[in-house]
């Protein structure tokens, strides 16, 4: 197993470099770089993309100094801006410098926020941890027992109506369900039971420990429910189908023929094999929800998390934030892929990835 892990770790390096090369190359052809953003604000505060549409020319984020709207500004001022942002250097040199810094976990400072990328991510982290962790845990806590029961009672009325409810839940987009929750329970048109802003109340620091916990749970109820609905549906059906496949195998029939109780067969033999694919996917599911935080849900509930950070950085062409978070999250995602394989082995030691090689 050690050789397999070493090979996977070595594969992380070229994969990560490839991801960065592709994304860095694409940004060279995206109009409206950070210098354009500043010029657009200085020339009247309009949207940089209005100048792009009216100018009729493509803008390279660092390669062309003939910026639309910059013709009334001194050339020395534009040159100083390019030097400050590092765009006075060729793209290859900028990329190599960026990767060298990232390899030392130096992600630089945001162009427009006067804060380091690391501090900015840490500032937004509580929202993403809340949505990612609680959504994943709730999905597993509900989906696994429900999926097992559906498998045991396959074809019954219980299985039929729960499948209908699951399909409806899967079909409803998370943001639409969030709007429904707001209308019903957050002061929309009916009840005002839950708050609509932030993770805590304004008087959070004055509350007792129990009061802080209750206040936190009170605030996260609706956004977590909205984030959980699609994962809950998928995980329930995955659990059911996994158990159905195992129940029909010969070793289960043999165990029942020997007179073993149904619960012992189900939880002593079937559970371990059926839950392999479900439990081993926990790290990947959590990371997916954590890093892929819904921009719309965060906006609807006034939560300032990584979803909004990524969107705002992309719109503002805040490249240190864009590339710094891309590098860090890609690295974590690749490592989580290795952890997922280790989880397979932990659950079922019979699995040998080295033998496949």
């Amino acid at each position: 197993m050690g050789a397999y892990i070493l090979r996977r770790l070595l594969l992380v390096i070229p994969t990560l470099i490839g991801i960065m090369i592709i994304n860095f190359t694409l940004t060279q052809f995206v109009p409206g770089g950070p210098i354009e953003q500043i010029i657009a604000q200085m020339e009247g505060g309009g949207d940089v993309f209005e100048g792009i549409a009216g100018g009729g020319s493509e803008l390279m984020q660092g390669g062309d100094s003939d910026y639309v709207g910059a013709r009334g500004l001194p050339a020395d001022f534009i040159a100083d801006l390019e030097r400050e942002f590092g765009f006075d250097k060729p793209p290859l040199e900028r990329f190599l410098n960026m990767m060298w810094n990232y390899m030392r976990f130096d992600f630089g400072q945001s162009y427009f926020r006067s804060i380091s990328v690391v501090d900015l991510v840490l500032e937004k982290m509580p929202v993403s941890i809340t949505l990612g962790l609680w959504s994943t845990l709730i999905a597993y806590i509900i989906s696994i027992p429900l999926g097992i029961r559906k498998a045991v009672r396959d074809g019954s009325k219980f299985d039929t109506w729960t499948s209908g409810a699951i399909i409806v839940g899967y079909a409803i987009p998370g943001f639409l369900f969030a709007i429904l929750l707001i209308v019903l329970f957050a002061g929309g048109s009916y009840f005002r039971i839950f708050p609509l802003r932030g993770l805590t109340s304004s008087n959070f620091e004055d509350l007792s420990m129990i009061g802080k916990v209750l206040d936190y749970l009170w605030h996260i109820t609706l956004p977590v429910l909205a984030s959980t609905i699609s994962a809950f549906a998928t995980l329930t059906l995955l659990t059911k189908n996994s158990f159905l496949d195992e129940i029909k195998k010969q070793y289960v029939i043999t165990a029942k023929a020997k007179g073993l109780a149904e619960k012992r067969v189900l939880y002593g033999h079937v559970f371990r094999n059926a839950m392999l694919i479900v439990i081993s996917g926990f790290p990947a599911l959590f990371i997916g929800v954590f890093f892929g935080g819904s921009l719309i849900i965060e906006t609807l509930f006034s939560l300032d998390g990584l979803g909004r950070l990524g969107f705002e950085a992309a719109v503002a062409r805040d490249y240190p934030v864009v590339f710094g978070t891309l590098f860090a999250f890609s690295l974590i995602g690749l490592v989580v892929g290795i952890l997922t394989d280790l989880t397979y082995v932990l659950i079922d030691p019979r699995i040998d990835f080295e033998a496949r090689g």
Side-chain angles (χ1 to χ4, degrees), residues 227-248:
S227 301
T228 304
I229 184 168
S230 60
F232 153 75
T234 304
L235 193 57
T236 301
L237 294 178
L238 177 63
T239 303
K240 177 193 173 182
N241 293 332
S242 181
F243 267 79
L244 281 177
D245 289 342
E246 292 297 323
I247 288 174
K248 296 176 182 178

Side-chain angles (χ1 to χ4, degrees), residues 178-219:
I179 293 174
L180 178 63
L181 292 175
I182 291 172
V183 170
L184 292 178
F185 303 113
S189 301
Y190 297 91
F191 307 101
R192 188 176 182 81
I193 301 176
F194 296 98
L196 194 57
R197 288 182 173 275
L199 292 178
T200 57
S201 300
S202 57
N203 63 335
F204 181 77
E205 296 298 331
D206 299 329
L207 300 175
S208 63
M209 181 59 66
I210 296 178
K212 289 181 178 179
V213 172
L214 294 176
D215 182 75
Y216 171 73
L217 295 176
W218 182 46
H219 279 77

Side-chain angles (χ1 to χ4, degrees), residues 6 21 32 72 126 163 189 223 312:
L6 180 60
I21 289 175
S163 294
S189 301
E312 292 170 358

Side-chain angles (χ1 to χ4, degrees), residues 17-27:
I17 293 175
I19 292 173
M20 298 302 296
I21 289 175
I22 292 173
N23 285 273
F24 185 85
T25 303
L26 289 175
T27 61

